[in-house]
Amino acid sequence: MREPHLILKTAVTVALWTLYCVQASGQQPAPAEPRVAAANRAVLSQLPFDDRGDFDDANRGFIATTPDTRNPDLYTFLRQEAPATVNPSLWRQAQLNAINGLFRVTEGVYQIRGFSLANMTIVEGATGVIVIDPLSTVASAREGLELYFAHRPRKPVTAVIYTHSHSDHYGGARGVAEEVRVHAGQIRVIAPLGFLEAVVGESVIGGNAMARRAQYQFGLPLGRGERGNVDAGLGKFDSRGAPGASLLAPTETIDKAQETRLVDGVEMVFQLAPASEAPAEMHIFLTKAKVLDIAENATHNMHNLLPLRGTEVRDANSWSRYLGDALTHFGKDAQVMIAQHHWPVWGNQQVAQRLANQRDLYKYIHDQSVRMMNQGYTPPEIAENLTMPPGLENDWSARGYYGTLSHNAKAVYQKYIGWYDGNPAHLNPLPPVEGARKYVEYMGGATAVMTRALADFNAGNYRWVAEVMNQVVFAESGNTEARSLGARAYEQMGYQSESATWRNAYLLAAQELRRGPGAPRRSPGATADQLHAMPLGLVFDYLGTRLNGPRAGAGHLNIDWRFTDVSQTITSTVSHGALTWTSVTAVPGADTTVALSRAAFEAIVLGQRTLEDAVTKRDATVSGDRDRVNGFFTFFDDFDGNFPIVEPRRIQ
């Protein structure tokens, strides 16, 4: 028989738990807990909020803006003081990033800021205008360029320059340039070495996983407001106008470490910075205007060495060196430094200081992480012990609004010695669901876990509560109480986060624990523009990542693809469940030959038409076994753009 005091204790616990569940059962975000509100108030005395220099710089050169017709009041809530549910440091950054419109940087150099996540820089040339990074979407780029033309002479776009390979810097290309003029040689499209390969690697081959994880990084499904999405760290993710990205393939490549070119009469010095913020990236110095465009390598925050959405690990050591080289080569002349996010830095001394601070920031993170790694510390231990570089604690532009010391330290570790920390217990652990069930069993069952977790929540141990509730949810996905408590823990961590990306990830986790990730959604994979811009070899590499090897089986299939409009032949081979290709002509042993235009092939790959339709309409001919070609297209998987993250994967 149970002791009376244990019966009473259990009854009290159940009563408290029932009351908690009633209070937390709603679908709306909860308020900040008193501990979190107090922690956020404390930030006001820890950082130099009286320094308003960034606000002056962010407004300097303002000419005009236009209202966002689709969402005119989206961020008006930022006009008030920081609420208890937002870290005041992040709130300050969110206010700065809400400043938008057309700005004059210096004579002949203008920027569109706040119309999309990135900036569009416009340089006035001898006969027209040069657009550097045409925003994220076609509509936002078009609206931004029209705002510029409303205040400056209307001239043709003569060049488009991509500073690097992220979609917020090229997606609006068709909003400022017509493909027919590009093909006619009237518009130059200039990009750094490896640009298209990097685009394919990030946005196509790893595209579906990155896009889903980007929802967490940028908080895309969250409502905008003091209990939801306030910023992305680099700016506001929302773009003006209708959604829709594009891509125009480069016509010129910058392939030397540093080279000077004349672009519509404007002398530009290009400095390659590969494997820094992007696999393909470059800085630009405008020699006459004395403006250094540092791309995305020295923005007004600590950047990511490995973004939460995922990508290749970035090289912090090289990143620092590129900034040092920029300081050496351009620091004595540059009067203004702009980036393709945020606002400029004016004054030669200020530019040099900012470059030096950012150079030191990434070198410190790199070197100190490696030092601790070589002392045997594991990634979580390094992340917990790494502190800000001495003297940069109060530098607003070194704060972790986008990257953080914590996950940047782990990225450095991963770059050098990978995901495995050397402990064999972590070498081959159980998968999430099986492991969670054993954890919960060993901890005495879900009820016992949640009783202890509620006490930890009330004590402010939100990190631990989130971790153990994650185990319960993966062990019992339908446990609504565990979902609710986990959501509350994630929320409080989000409210306290200085990093916009961490806040967004925590708050979206809370939302999805309450509501689920949404119905399965077919991912489009490559967009039409991306597919069209890719060399054919990269197209077949992309198809290889969609090929379901077990479904293809142990059979062997060779197909000659003869692209009639580009005079190119690709031979694809499916063997042992792997898709390989070669461009060597007349490969012996092809089972089937397909002749068709590249446009028809792209439409088939995108699912817009079938091979049978192309043959019927005489857009393709097949010599050999047509059924085998049709079978080729059945090997490919579609992906779910809403795959679960904070709960078990759906049973297929």
Side-chain angles (χ1 to χ4, degrees):
M1 181 175 176
R2 298 173 68 184
E3 296 294 329
H5 72 278
L6 291 179
I7 295 174
L8 177 61
K9 181 178 179 181
T10 301
V12 171
T13 299
V14 170
L16 288 173
W17 180 251
T18 302
L19 176 63
Y20 170 81
C21 289
V22 169
Q23 294 173 337
S25 60
Q27 296 295 302
Q28 298 305 312
E33 291 288 318
R35 292 174 184 272
V36 170
N40 281 341
R41 284 194 303 272
V43 172
L44 293 170
S45 62
Q46 295 166 358
L47 292 169
F49 283 90
D50 290 340
D51 178 3
R52 302 288 291 179
D54 280 334
F55 286 90
D56 295 337
D57 285 347
N59 284 288
R60 180 172 172 174
F62 175 75
I63 296 173
T65 192
T66 55
D68 185 343
T69 55
R70 297 174 73 227
N71 299 293
D73 300 318
L74 195 60
Y75 290 103
T76 55
F77 67 88
L78 288 168
R79 295 171 186 168
Q80 62 180 322
E81 294 298 314
T85 54
V86 185
N87 185 302
S89 179
L90 176 58
W91 188 262
R92 174 187 180 276
Q93 184 80 348
Q95 289 178 323
L96 286 161
N97 285 334
I99 299 168
N100 63 83
L102 171 66
F103 299 81
R104 180 183 183 273
V105 175
T106 191
E107 182 66 31
V109 182
Y110 296 80
Q111 283 192 314
I112 298 292
R113 302 202 287 269
F115 277 35
S116 198
L117 180 62
N119 297 336
M120 179 164 70
T121 300
I122 301 171
V123 180
E124 295 177 342
T127 64
V129 295
I130 302 156
V131 174
I132 302 176
D133 290 357
L135 303 184
S136 303
T137 64
V138 173
S140 61
R142 186 175 291 127
E143 184 173 340
L145 191 60
E146 284 303 312
L147 176 59
Y148 166 81
F149 284 141
H151 299 274
R152 298 295 296 164
R154 183 176 291 273
K155 293 182 179 180
V157 172
T158 52
V160 174
I161 300 175
Y162 305 136
T163 61
H164 60 290
S165 51
H166 293 152
S167 61
D168 52 321
H169 297 264
Y170 64 75
R174 291 184 185 273
V176 300
E178 304 85 5
E179 188 171 21
V180 64
R181 294 189 62 227
V182 173
H183 289 167
Q186 298 169 342
I187 300 178
R188 300 164 67 180
V189 181
I190 305 171
L193 181 69
F195 174 83
L196 274 181
E197 291 80 1
V199 168
V200 172
E202 290 201 333
S203 298
V204 180
I205 289 179
N208 186 63
M210 289 189 192
R212 173 64 171 128
R213 289 166 55 134
Q215 292 181 349
Y216 273 69
Q217 176 173 323
F218 295 110
L220 305 183
L222 294 172
R224 276 43 173 173
E226 62 183 50
R227 296 190 188 182
N229 186 318
V230 300
D231 202 57
L234 286 175
K236 300 290 185 281
F237 193 88
D238 309 278
S239 290
R240 297 291 184 96
S246 63
L247 173 62
L248 292 172
T251 60
E252 300 178 32
T253 296
I254 303 300
D255 56 8
K256 296 182 178 62
Q258 185 170 309
E259 60 179 287
T260 302
R261 293 193 185 184
L262 206 62
V263 182
D264 192 15
V266 178
E267 184 177 89
M268 299 184 177
V269 183
F270 295 93
Q271 177 202 359
L272 287 181
S276 54
E277 188 273 336
E281 188 147 357
M282 63 185 181
H283 308 151
I284 308 167
F285 184 61
L286 308 176
T287 54
K288 181 179 179 181
K290 299 187 185 304
V291 172
L292 174 61
D293 187 338
I294 206 69
E296 201 170 316
N297 281 335
T299 50
H300 288 270
N301 54 219
M302 180 194 302
H303 214 292
N304 281 309
L305 298 181
L306 182 58
L308 305 189
R309 65 177 171 82
T311 187
E312 298 177 16
V313 177
R314 294 157 181 174
D315 187 341
N317 194 48
S318 295
W319 191 329
S320 173
R321 188 176 69 252
Y322 297 136
L323 293 178
D325 290 346
L327 178 59
T328 298
H329 293 300
F330 313 121
K332 65 181 182 299
D333 296 320
Q335 296 300 317
V336 187
M337 184 171 74
I338 61 174
Q340 293 307 125
H341 291 276
H342 300 145
W343 52 97
V345 175
W346 279 275
N348 180 258
Q349 183 177 347
Q350 289 77 8
V351 169
Q353 187 63 61
R354 180 59 53 79
L355 280 171
N357 286 0
Q358 292 275 304
R359 174 201 63 195
D360 297 345
L361 173 65
Y362 297 113
K363 192 65 163 64
Y364 182 90
I365 294 171
H366 174 272
D367 289 357
Q368 297 310 305
S369 298
V370 170
R371 178 180 64 83
M372 285 189 273
M373 177 188 79
N374 282 323
Q375 289 175 330
Y377 288 95
T378 63
E381 291 170 330
I382 298 171
E384 201 71 15
N385 285 283
L386 186 64
T387 58
M388 285 291 290
L392 294 184
E393 301 92 342
N394 290 334
D395 183 338
W396 289 113
S397 289
R399 304 299 300 181
Y401 303 118
Y402 195 57
T404 67
L405 282 174
S406 176
H407 74 264
N408 281 347
K410 295 173 183 177
V412 173
Y413 188 102
Q414 180 174 323
K415 180 184 185 299
Y416 284 99
I417 54 179
W419 58 268
Y420 176 47
D421 65 3
N423 185 337
H426 304 149
L427 185 58
N428 189 29
L430 290 172
V433 172
E434 290 85 343
R437 288 172 179 164
K438 295 302 292 183
Y439 273 113
V440 172
E441 175 190 336
Y442 270 53
M443 295 168 79
T447 301
V449 174
M450 290 164 56
T451 299
R452 295 187 179 97
L454 179 57
D456 269 317
F457 181 91
N458 292 330
N461 298 324
Y462 307 121
R463 290 166 67 183
W464 177 245
V465 173
E467 185 171 339
V468 294
M469 287 304 97
N470 183 66
Q471 299 290 354
V472 177
V473 169
F474 270 75
E476 302 177 4
S477 63
N479 191 321
T480 56
E481 291 84 1
R483 285 175 171 269
S484 179
L485 183 54
R488 292 290 297 273
Y490 279 131
E491 263 170 356
Q492 299 309 311
M493 290 192 289
Y495 293 161
Q496 204 168 335
S497 294
E498 184 179 36
S499 166
T501 58
W502 283 35
R503 175 187 174 89
N504 291 336
Y506 288 141
L507 296 188
L508 185 53
Q511 179 172 295
E512 292 195 353
L513 280 176
R514 290 184 173 121
R515 306 178 189 175
R521 173 178 56 83
R522 181 183 179 275
S523 171
T527 67
D529 266 10
Q530 288 170 338
L531 203 65
H532 186 63
M534 291 158 58
L536 280 168
L538 285 180
V539 173
F540 281 90
D541 283 342
Y542 157 63
L543 288 176
T545 66
R546 287 181 53 198
L547 185 133
N548 186 315
R551 188 188 306 152
H556 190 95
L557 174 63
N558 278 346
I559 302 175
D560 277 345
W561 303 90
R562 297 184 180 176
F563 297 96
T564 55
D565 52 342
V566 293
S567 301
Q568 189 173 352
T569 297
I570 295 283
T571 299
S572 65
T573 299
V574 177
S575 177
H576 302 110
L579 172 60
T580 58
W581 62 272
T582 179
S583 58
V584 176
T585 57
V587 174
D591 302 286
T592 307
T593 298
V594 182
L596 75 176
S597 67
R598 174 158 180 167
F601 181 72
E602 290 171 4
I604 295 169
V605 169
L606 292 168
Q608 298 168 347
R609 64 189 305 191
T610 64
L611 177 66
E612 288 299 316
D613 174 72
V615 171
T616 300
K617 295 179 179 176
R618 298 185 178 180
D619 292 327
T621 60
V622 178
S623 302
D625 191 340
R626 189 186 303 178
D627 289 340
R628 300 206 71 189
V629 184
N630 287 327
F632 173 81
F633 288 106
T634 69
F635 294 154
F636 300 105
D637 277 347
D638 287 328
F639 300 123
D640 178 6
N642 278 336
F643 61 79
I645 289 179
V646 292
E647 60 185 279
R649 191 163 50 86
R650 302 181 185 96
I651 302 300
Q652 300 295 321

